[in-house]
């Protein structure tokens, strides 16, 4: 089980409470598809992904980004039980979606950059530490059921 | 930020004072960013422009290449903190690609 200090929990939940899940989720997923274009391989049914502008405005990308970040919120609510929280999703990503777990790490890093751009100097080094730890734990939990 | 977010990176600096506000950290950070500036100016010829640094990292410093990704992440976080919405998706993509290319050059003589 992951150990979270009281400070880490506080930094995570306080940042999360100010996040606009819809905007942030859309931004993070769009950036994943833009910065690492090979990740588009999972989204051939999403329509126009031909340019950064197209991706940023694509309604399916936005909707899916929101879905993904909403799910991320479950980790924030269950910091002491992230493994169990993502057990089913892990199986799904392996058995049905066939997503290389490296993509979870890529998205996690992008999410942090989006948070940094949004919160500026409020996203302190201590904040970044707690969040890098969180995205790493989430990525690990999502990869855990792979076989 | 790198030393805070990724404590394992501190293992390469046992000879440094790594406390917040350390002059050594500031000076070294400046050195690294200046080298990135050289890279930016020679973006179409990174291998040649960074040849000396490449040798240094391969034969002398031998920093494990995973750490280049960690520094890249922190550098981009700092850019995002300072530029806010000016750190657009396109700028982000270009920078990530650039830092990744620099990292490749620094590691190219490792073996």
């Amino acid at each position: 089980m992951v150990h979270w200090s009281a400070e880490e929990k506080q930094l995570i939940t306080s940042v999360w409470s100010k996040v606009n899940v819809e905007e942030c989720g859309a931004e993070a997923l769009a950036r994943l598809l833009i910065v690492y274009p090979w990740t588009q391989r999972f989204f051939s049914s999403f329509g126009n992904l031909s340019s950064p502008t197209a991706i940023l405005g694509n309604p399916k990308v936005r909707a899916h980004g929101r879905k993904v970040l909403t799910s991320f919120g479950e980790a924030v609510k269950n910091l002491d039980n992230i493994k169990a929280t993502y057990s089913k999703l892990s199986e799904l990503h392996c058995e049905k979606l066939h997503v290389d777990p490296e993509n979870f790490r890529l998205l996690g890093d992008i999410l942090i950059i989006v948070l940094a751009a949004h919160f500026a100097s409020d996203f302190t080094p201590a904040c970044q530490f707690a969040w890098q730890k969180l995205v790493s734990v989430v990525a690990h939990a999502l990869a855990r059921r792979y076989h | 930020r790198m030393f805070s977010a990724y404590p394992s990176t501190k293992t390469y600096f046992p000879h440094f004072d790594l406390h917040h506000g350390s002059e050594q950290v500031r000076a070294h950070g400046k050195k690294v960013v200046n080298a990135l500036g050289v890279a930016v100016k020679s973006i179409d010829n990174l291998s040649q422009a960074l040849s000396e640094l490449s040798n240094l990292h391969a034969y002398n410093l031998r920093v494990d290449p995973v750490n280049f990704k960690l520094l890249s992440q922190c550098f981009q976080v700092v850019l995002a903190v300072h530029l806010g919405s000016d750190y657009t998706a396109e700028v982000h993509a270009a920078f990530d690609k650039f830092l990744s290319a620099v990292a490749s050059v620094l590691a190219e003589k490792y073996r």
Side-chain angles (χ1 to χ4, degrees), chain A residues 83-116:
Chain A
K83 260 190 310 208
T85 303
Y86 284 117
S87 183
K88 284 269 169 296
L89 267 178
S90 182
E91 284 168 13
L92 179 79
H93 281 78
C94 170
E95 291 159 17
K96 293 270 165 3
L97 305 176
H98 310 294
V99 176
D100 178 348
E102 178 59 24
N103 293 286
F104 309 145
R105 293 181 265 279
L106 292 179
L107 182 59
D109 275 354
I110 293 219
L111 174 61
I112 287 185
I113 289 174
V114 169
L115 292 177

Side-chain angles (χ1 to χ4, degrees), chain B residues 47-109:
Chain B
S47 216
Q48 194 178 75
L50 300 177
S51 181
E52 276 312 305
L53 272 177
S54 213
N55 290 334
L56 184 73
H57 283 77
Y59 306 122
N60 202 292
L61 302 176
R62 292 169 293 186
V63 171
D64 193 294
V66 312
N67 295 286
F68 301 146
K69 175 120 224 282
L70 303 183
L71 181 57
S72 165
Q73 172 71 359
C74 291
F75 193 71
Q76 291 188 65
V77 165
V78 170
L79 287 177
V81 164
H82 281 272
L83 300 177
S85 53
D86 284 347
Y87 197 61
T88 63
E90 287 104 321
V91 172
H92 179 168
F95 238 92
D96 191 278
K97 184 176 175 182
F98 166 67
L99 291 173
S100 174
V102 169
S104 289
V105 167
L106 286 178
E108 76 187 358
K109 295 172 189 163

Side-chain angles (χ1 to χ4, degrees), chain A residues 47-59:
Chain A
N48 188 3
L49 298 178
S50 61
S51 71
T53 312
I55 293 170
L56 285 160
N58 185 311

Side-chain angles (χ1 to χ4, degrees), chain A residues 2-22:
Chain A
V2 183
H3 171 75
W4 301 99
S5 73
E7 195 204 357
E8 285 164 2
K9 286 189 176 186
Q10 201 273 324
L11 287 168
I12 289 168
T13 54
S14 83
V15 164
W16 186 254
S17 69
K18 298 180 204 127
V19 166
N20 178 323
V21 173
E22 177 168 357

